[in-house]
Amino acid sequence: MSDRGYGFKFLTPWGTTESEYGRCAYKLPVKDGEWGPWMKHSEPSKPDGKDCGTGRYHLMKHLDARYAPQNWWPWLAEYKGFVGESNEKIGVISLRLMRITPYQLWHIIRSGECRGANLREANLRGANLREADLREADLREADLWGADLWGADLREADLTNNFVIPQEAIY
């Protein structure tokens, strides 16, 4: 794994996360489309090959709402100072964040990045998900109202407890 790269982070509307390691407030960009300032962990860990633990920020390799707080929104994170990883996450010493806009999120989903992803309770209202590969995705309780799912591959996707209005039904 490279000492620099990109991952994803889910934050509350207040720019925080909470875990067994405590609450963390992140430095956010001033405007959409810009990177926030670099943050370095106050007590950095030495590389140990583990994705989780003290002395590191945790990033997802792929979007996965299992790690998202209620009312979440995804952020793109650029990192440096690799500590460790698993199949799902990366542990890093320093990062900076950029908010992912709804259009960018839709593009990420359409790119195939979300096959098998956990997007439970995701707000995808009005999303352009044409031809998205959402096979095996967890879309339970996702808001797909007015989403364009024309040609989307939803084989084995869990669409429990959501209501989808076909795009052609919207005037």
Side-chain angles (χ1 to χ4, degrees):
M1 176 60 70
S2 172
D3 196 46
R4 296 181 70 109
Y6 297 91
F8 298 99
K9 191 83 184 156
F10 285 110
L11 302 179
T12 67
W14 305 277
T16 62
T17 58
E18 292 191 29
S19 72
E20 61 191 83
Y21 305 106
R23 184 174 188 264
C24 183
Y26 290 83
K27 296 176 184 174
L28 303 178
V30 177
K31 294 190 283 186
D32 279 345
E34 292 185 5
W35 287 99
W38 280 99
M39 296 176 53
K40 184 172 182 177
H41 200 283
S42 60
E43 298 176 17
S45 171
K46 299 270 188 236
D48 60 11
K50 298 178 184 174
D51 66 344
C52 288
T54 58
R56 69 199 78 203
Y57 297 113
H58 311 102
L59 301 176
M60 293 172 292
K61 292 181 175 181
H62 305 282
L63 289 174
D64 189 336
R66 278 182 295 182
Y67 304 107
Q70 192 170 10
N71 298 320
W72 57 267
W73 194 259
W75 294 75
L76 179 62
E78 181 179 12
Y79 70 83
K80 50 188 177 180
F82 176 80
V83 177
E85 70 179 318
S86 68
N87 289 337
E88 299 175 331
K89 296 188 276 182
I90 308 165
V92 301
I93 300 300
S94 298
L95 60 77
R96 66 182 183 158
L97 298 168
M98 181 190 319
R99 189 174 200 281
I100 297 174
T101 68
Y103 297 106
Q104 291 167 328
L105 176 60
W106 304 345
H107 177 75
I108 291 166
I109 293 170
R110 285 193 317 268
S111 73
E113 182 71 28
C114 292
R115 178 179 180 182
N118 182 332
L119 295 171
R120 187 175 186 164
E121 300 179 14
N123 180 357
L124 299 171
R125 182 176 283 247
N128 176 358
L129 301 177
R130 285 180 153 249
E131 300 181 7
D133 184 354
L134 290 165
R135 285 177 281 173
E136 303 168 13
D138 182 353
L139 292 162
R140 287 177 286 172
E141 301 175 37
D143 185 351
L144 294 166
W145 185 274
D148 184 352
L149 294 165
W150 186 89
D153 191 342
L154 294 164
R155 284 180 284 173
E156 298 183 45
D158 189 341
L159 294 163
T160 306
N161 294 332
N162 61 31
F163 189 68
V164 181
I165 298 294
Q167 184 69 23
E168 57 274 6
I170 298 174
Y171 302 101

